[in-house]
Amino acid sequence: MNYLSFLIVLLALIIFFVTFFLIAQKKKNNGIADVAWGLGFVVVAFVSLIYNQNYNIVSLTITLFVSLWGFRLFYHLTKRNWNAKEDYRYVDMRKKWGNHQVLNAFFRVFMSQMLLLFVISLPIQLSSMYTVGINSTLGWFVYGFGVLLWVFGYYFEVVGDAQLKKFIKNPENKGKIMQSGLWKYTRHPNYFGEATMWWGIWIISMASLISWNLLGFIGPMIITHLLLFVSGVPLLERKYKDNVEFQEYAKKTSVFFPLPPKK
């Protein structure tokens, strides 16, 4: 196991998140941590790839896909959150922290997200360490399946976000629930898409059939758990629990996996 590579990536992430922590304190908005999230994975991908100098189709594909996802998410959240008021989640945290606002923000928001990101990014790091290209028919099948899965997930996230943005922009839809397009098949197409992309990344990392890359399984497992049971779906579902239109929508629409609507 290349522990030095892990250490180099961790040091890069510390510098990266400390920088965003300082920006957040200046802006008095800990929601800046959300802005840093996607870009943090891009940092991991490039630092790990450049340090290990293991340039092959598997590691380069993963770096490309992580960059497409990470830069898009960074742009999307920067545009939405940079000059906005602090998200209600972080406002609630402040109320519980009392007199130790800065210390709690540093460790419980920025450093905790950094460590979480470090673990989730294991398939990225392991692919830069151990992949040796693709040398078998099975390997090419695994690679192709992973690429298709990632593209499928990316489509759901990008198109789902675009459809919701267009829906919200229409004044006639104020107070209404989005129920068309991809939102007709799942109540959270963007979250489904994100989880699917991470499974795609891990499967691509397995294309060289290197046993060490099995450890990367923990990445998509964690992100899927978080989206389904912690910080993704549950938060939004609770937000609309008293909305009659949403409850009717929920009765016929799958919560996560895309399925035909119930009649």
Side-chain angles (χ1 to χ4, degrees):
M1 183 69 75
N2 191 345
Y3 295 106
L4 186 56
S5 180
F6 287 133
L7 181 59
I8 294 296
V9 169
L10 187 59
L11 288 173
L13 282 177
I14 289 172
I15 294 170
F16 176 79
F17 271 91
V18 166
T19 300
F20 273 86
F21 165 75
L22 294 174
I23 294 171
Q25 300 320 297
K26 183 175 178 60
K27 295 178 74 66
K28 293 181 171 53
N29 183 356
N30 289 322
I32 295 299
D34 295 342
V35 175
W37 180 255
L39 193 59
F41 286 99
V42 179
V43 170
V44 170
F46 276 95
V47 169
S48 187
L49 182 66
I50 293 170
Y51 174 77
N52 289 286
Q53 296 187 16
N54 188 11
Y55 305 107
N56 58 71
I57 189 171
V58 174
S59 58
L60 290 173
T61 299
I62 287 176
T63 301
L64 172 63
F65 284 176
V66 170
S67 299
L68 285 173
W69 170 79
F71 280 123
R72 177 195 167 271
L73 185 62
F74 173 69
Y75 172 78
H76 176 73
L77 292 180
T78 299
K79 189 175 179 181
R80 189 184 73 182
N81 295 354
W82 195 258
N83 293 313
K85 292 182 179 180
E86 190 173 51
D87 186 271
Y88 72 94
R89 295 169 296 154
Y90 297 103
V91 173
D92 290 343
M93 289 180 192
R94 286 185 184 277
K95 292 175 182 177
K96 299 174 183 177
W97 290 343
N99 297 323
H100 304 287
Q101 299 285 325
V102 175
L103 203 60
N104 274 287
F106 182 74
F107 286 107
R108 300 179 72 172
V109 176
F110 287 86
M111 290 299 101
S112 64
Q113 285 205 22
M114 180 202 73
L115 291 174
L116 191 60
L117 190 156
F118 179 80
V119 175
I120 292 172
S121 69
L122 276 177
I124 303 171
Q125 298 184 62
L126 291 169
S127 71
S128 291
M129 292 181 198
Y130 297 115
T131 54
V132 292
I134 305 172
N135 301 310
S136 69
T137 302
L138 178 59
W140 280 110
F141 175 80
V142 171
Y143 174 81
F145 180 68
V147 168
L148 288 175
L149 193 62
W150 187 90
V151 170
F152 183 67
Y154 191 69
Y155 172 83
F156 262 80
E157 183 169 84
V158 172
V159 174
D161 281 343
Q163 289 174 343
L164 181 61
K165 183 179 179 181
K166 184 178 179 180
F167 180 84
I168 293 173
K169 270 189 172 182
N170 188 341
E172 296 179 2
N173 295 326
K174 187 174 182 180
K176 295 181 180 179
I177 300 297
M178 174 72 169
Q179 302 184 45
S180 59
L182 296 179
W183 301 80
K184 180 179 180 180
Y185 305 101
T186 166
R187 305 204 292 271
H188 304 280
N190 45 357
Y191 292 150
F192 167 77
E194 183 163 342
T196 302
M197 279 188 287
W198 282 108
W199 285 106
I201 291 293
W202 174 66
I203 291 172
I204 293 169
S205 78
M206 292 298 300
S208 291
L209 308 179
I210 303 295
S211 58
W212 275 117
N213 289 345
L214 284 168
L215 293 173
F217 182 79
I218 194 173
M221 279 292 293
I222 290 176
I223 199 69
T224 302
H225 175 77
L226 290 174
L227 291 171
L228 262 175
F229 303 111
V230 183
S231 61
V233 171
L235 285 178
L236 281 178
E237 295 282 310
R238 283 198 295 270
K239 182 179 179 181
Y240 293 104
K241 64 183 177 67
D242 297 322
N243 186 302
V244 176
E245 185 184 3
F246 182 82
Q247 295 309 315
E248 289 300 314
Y249 167 61
K251 289 178 182 178
K252 62 183 180 181
T253 309
S254 171
V255 64
F256 192 70
F257 295 98
L259 294 170
K262 298 175 184 177
K263 295 181 180 179

